[in-house]
Amino acid sequence: HNVPLTHPSEWLRDATLGGRRGSLRLGNGDPNDPRGWQLDLEGAAVVRLNLDEARDVDASDFRFGVPLTYTADGVVRYKFGYYHVSSHLGDELIARTGVNSRLNYVRDAIIAGVMYDVTPSLRLYGETAYAFFTAGGAEPWEFQFGAEWSRPGCTGIYGTPFLATNAHLREETDFGGDWTLQT
């Protein structure tokens, strides 16, 4: 949302509750080298709290999706599915900033993607989504791509090093967007 903050140094906290769960799998059942088809259900609710304003709810976002994934060789994976995203300004933010109308950002989209394991530790991926229904400033196209590196297999109690990068480009921002680096 393009809502001006009261001052540029506000402290915000995002809290997320959700997850993704396989609901139907047709394949070999090998957890270390899965092959075949899997249908998942995913969902999340995200709330943004403004810590400078008595923990006011500035926004709440919701996501629901049904992705179908497939791999035949354990090296290339494909994804196809549907997802819904909606974002809503919080009542406290509307009252504090004087926004005169509710802006509900909505995307109902079909998504397609591919992932390639360059080595067992290095993975590259890309996906595109086309929203067949949009509202609140959303536009149809978005693209996402990135890479991640981590040691495969069980990590034990000490974990293992992890490095990932992701770019997410959206039509409503003239194909600008965000870039994330995680370690």
Side-chain angles (χ1 to χ4, degrees):
H1 300 295
N2 293 324
V3 176
L5 298 173
T6 21
H7 51 85
S9 63
E10 289 181 331
W11 285 87
L12 304 170
R13 176 175 292 152
D14 289 346
T16 303
L17 178 62
R20 180 173 171 164
R21 182 78 177 159
S23 56
L24 177 64
R25 181 181 295 169
L26 300 171
N28 65 1
D30 182 348
N32 295 318
D33 187 20
R35 296 176 191 218
W37 297 88
Q38 181 167 309
L39 182 67
D40 293 347
L41 296 175
E42 63 183 14
V46 181
V47 64
R48 173 164 281 178
L49 303 175
N50 190 315
L51 301 181
D52 292 341
E53 298 290 336
R55 291 179 174 73
D56 283 356
V57 175
D58 278 3
S60 56
D61 302 334
F62 302 93
R63 180 180 172 110
F64 169 78
V66 184
L68 177 67
T69 54
Y70 171 75
T71 185
D73 60 10
V75 176
V76 180
R77 295 172 182 85
Y78 303 93
K79 176 169 82 171
F80 181 77
Y82 159 81
Y83 78 84
H84 166 86
V85 168
S86 61
S87 297
H88 312 275
L89 294 178
D91 294 338
E92 294 94 346
L93 179 72
I94 292 170
R96 190 173 70 246
T97 60
V99 173
N100 293 327
S101 63
R102 289 188 77 81
L103 175 65
N104 293 322
Y105 176 95
V106 178
R107 289 180 56 85
D108 283 308
I110 299 298
I111 189 166
V114 64
M115 182 172 17
Y116 174 66
D117 290 342
V118 178
T119 69
S121 298
L122 179 62
R123 173 178 304 159
L124 304 175
Y125 63 89
E127 61 185 42
T128 186
Y130 179 80
F132 55 87
F133 175 81
T134 62
E139 292 189 27
W141 287 102
E142 72 174 324
F143 302 95
Q144 195 165 187
F145 51 91
E148 52 189 51
W149 174 85
S150 68
R151 187 178 69 210
C154 296
T155 62
I157 65 169
Y158 298 107
T160 186
F162 174 80
L163 179 64
T165 184
N166 182 77
H168 185 197
L169 310 176
R170 298 182 321 274
E171 185 176 359
E172 66 255 18
T173 59
D174 294 325
F175 295 104
D178 54 78
W179 174 68
T180 304
L181 179 64
Q182 244 182 357
T183 183

